[in-house]
Amino acid sequence: MSGPLRLVPDEGGSERTMQLRTLPLKLRRPAPTDPEPGPEQQLDLSADPLDELAERLRDVCADAVHPYEIAAFLESDGLSDEQAALLYGRPDAFTVAEELFEKVERRYPGPSSEFANPWRADPWRCVVRGLVFALPGLGYLLGANLFATTRMRFGLPSGMLALSIATLVSWGFNQALAHRAYRWLSRLRRREAAVCLAVGAPLGALIAAAAAYVVGGPLGALCFAAGQSCYLAAATVLLVLGREKFLLLALAPASVGAGVVLATDVPQAVRTVVLLASVLLAVGLAVRELFLCVRRGERESVALKLPLRQEVPHLLFGLACGALTLIAGLGTTIHQAVQTGGHAPQGAATAPTGPAMIALTLSLGLAEWLLFRYRAMAVAALRSSHTTGQFTRRTGGILLGCLFIYLTTVAALDAAATVLWPGAPALGVPQLGAMLLLGGSLWLALLLNAFGFSWSTALICLAAAGAESTGLLTGVDPIVLQLIGCGAAAVVLTSIAGPALGRTTQHR
């Protein structure tokens, strides 16, 4: 016997016995007056005794996914091959199971309504995160006068190149720092995550500010780059620790100040004070949160070390994303400077990238929500799919649906930003296509990163960024570069995401 007997009470009145569920029921008869009936009449069997068994075990057979599952149940009930031959006229229990599987219609249980979705995301939190990604751009309105517009380098105001380099360094370093802190949080070690951020955030800000200083520029521009580096480090701390609302509070002075600057002329001293207020508020809130985490957290008795090499692909991915975004925002200006020998020609038309960049940054909150939504829907598809092929088709449809929603929203945000941006012409079809390919590539890369394909996404995005940068410095049109670079990256990432995320083992 491979399992306990499943016994049920017999209907024998005072002579109550226990009888196997898989055996036919016997009925008592009055003393016969006629000649004694045969064995089949005494047992009162149906034309096929398997019909009665199928009715009695309907629930078990309906939920089975293979005849072996029914055979295991019959074996655990004690049905031997001899009993199968004697009572049901089948050679063994496996034949009984196969016929029961064919007789009873399948009734697989669907997803439970009580199923707890581990990938639920608060949509309002994603909206807040989208705002804190976009609102820092208003700081450039307040600090625009800090850059010497009379001195140009690569077609940009002197100091803008230093700011761009500092931005790239901050994005790459903070991407790796955030991933390392999240690794600590995934092990339920919030104190260690806070210590990691307390050490890494100031170091990243210092390296970014030093990179800007090495490139050089006006003192005001270098101070602006240092302040931006400090803000990005503080923002990384607050976002990783789940304090988006604190960051939104820190951005309030700069947001209000930018609104006033758009309405009237404000002295540069006042603008600088407003910028400093936002930076200091963000840094202060980040320091407070780190202090509370370290103070309240308990030191773990078991020491644990996380290898640094796992952060390398995320560092490269941050650098690649920053380069692709900067090329989208400043590519046309740099292209014109390269064409004219390092100086932007007077009155040269520039592409309307301002609304596009606003649309892209505002959409990051939706991008994050769609990442959670994809994972939740993929888990639901895993529970309801009957075959691996059906699951692969469903996850492919979910992937395309999420990507379509994201790109449609980006296009709608760009249209709204263009209407609100003073004097901004609408994006042409090539410019809009380049922006959508960039957004699609970044979203697919983030999705694959979430499933552990960090090296693949980093190398693909880095190759696209390197190709676009090389082509830009040799005088190739930036829109063509983006269409080719981001388009190729999107195709490769999609070809990886489809088969890889269609495997059930990726969604355990």
Side-chain angles (χ1 to χ4, degrees), residues 9 12 14 33 87 131 141 231 322 331 348 367 387 427 464 483:
S14 59
T33 56
L87 301 174
L131 288 175
L141 291 176
Y231 167 78
T387 63
L427 282 183
L483 289 173

Side-chain angles (χ1 to χ4, degrees), residues 120-502:
R120 283 179 297 183
D122 183 4
W124 291 111
R125 182 182 180 185
C126 293
V127 170
V128 172
R129 290 175 73 90
L131 288 175
V132 300
F133 291 146
L135 288 178
L138 297 176
Y140 295 106
L141 291 176
L142 296 171
N145 294 337
L146 296 175
F147 300 90
T149 56
T150 56
R151 296 163 51 195
M152 308 295 289
R153 299 179 66 183
F154 290 101
L156 302 174
S158 182
M160 185 63 74
L161 182 61
L163 179 64
S164 300
I165 297 300
T167 303
L168 277 178
V169 173
S170 293
W171 280 2
F173 189 93
N174 290 330
Q175 182 79 14
L177 176 63
H179 181 262
R180 186 169 183 81
Y182 277 124
R183 288 171 63 197
W184 284 115
L185 291 176
S186 67
R187 291 161 174 78
L188 302 180
R189 297 197 173 192
R190 191 173 180 86
R191 185 180 185 276
E192 283 78 359
V195 173
C196 172
L197 292 169
V199 174
L203 179 62
L206 181 61
I207 294 175
Y213 178 79
V214 170
V215 174
L219 180 61
L222 296 180
C223 291
F224 185 90
Q228 175 188 268
S229 303
C230 293
Y231 167 78
L232 291 176
T236 301
V237 171
L238 293 174
L239 287 173
V240 170
L241 296 179
R243 296 295 183 263
E244 298 86 1
K245 294 181 180 179
F246 287 176
L247 191 56
L248 196 61
L249 177 64
L251 289 169
S255 303
V256 174
V260 174
V261 167
L262 289 175
T264 183
D265 188 24
V266 177
Q268 184 56 49
V270 178
R271 299 185 182 193
T272 304
V273 170
V274 173
L275 286 173
L276 284 175
S278 282
V279 172
L280 293 177
L281 192 55
V283 172
L285 290 172
V287 171
R288 171 185 175 275
E289 191 63 30
L290 290 173
F291 177 77
L292 291 177
C293 289
V294 174
R295 182 181 178 182
R296 295 174 180 174
E298 297 181 0
R299 186 184 297 273
E300 296 289 340
S301 58
V302 179
L304 179 64
K305 293 184 178 180
L306 301 180
L308 283 172
R309 64 178 180 273
Q310 295 187 13
E311 321 309 336
V312 175
H314 299 276
L315 172 67
L316 298 177
F317 177 69
L319 291 173
C321 290
L324 290 172
T325 306
L326 287 177
I327 290 173
L330 303 175
T332 301
T333 303
I334 297 176
H335 170 70
Q336 292 173 349
V338 171
Q339 294 290 86
T340 57
H343 298 281
Q346 293 291 334
T350 59
T353 56
M357 292 298 100
I358 291 177
L360 211 54
T361 52
L362 280 175
S363 69
L364 292 179
L366 174 66
E368 186 174 286
W369 182 81
L370 285 173
L371 294 178
F372 281 96
R373 187 61 183 163
Y374 172 83
R375 301 209 69 167
M377 295 176 72
V379 171
L382 182 63
R383 291 172 58 86
S384 60
S385 298
H386 299 163
T387 63
T388 55
Q390 186 181 33
F391 173 75
T392 301
R393 289 190 296 272
R394 288 186 178 182
T395 52
I398 294 169
L399 175 64
L400 293 178
C402 290
L403 189 60
F404 175 78
I405 292 173
Y406 177 65
L407 296 181
T408 303
T409 304
V410 171
L413 288 174
D414 175 72
T418 301
V419 172
L420 298 176
W421 190 278
L427 282 183
V429 174
Q431 291 84 358
L432 180 61
M435 183 187 68
L436 293 180
L437 287 174
L438 172 61
S441 300
L442 295 182
W443 188 83
L444 288 170
L446 290 173
L447 180 64
L448 287 172
N449 260 340
F451 282 92
F453 296 88
S454 53
W455 272 110
S456 300
T457 56
L459 293 178
I460 292 170
C461 293
L462 200 62
E468 290 189 19
S469 301
T470 303
L472 187 63
L473 295 179
T474 56
V476 182
D477 184 81
I479 301 301
V480 175
L481 285 174
Q482 293 173 62
L483 289 173
I484 297 175
C486 293
V491 170
V492 175
L493 290 170
T494 304
S495 65
I496 294 175
L501 304 186

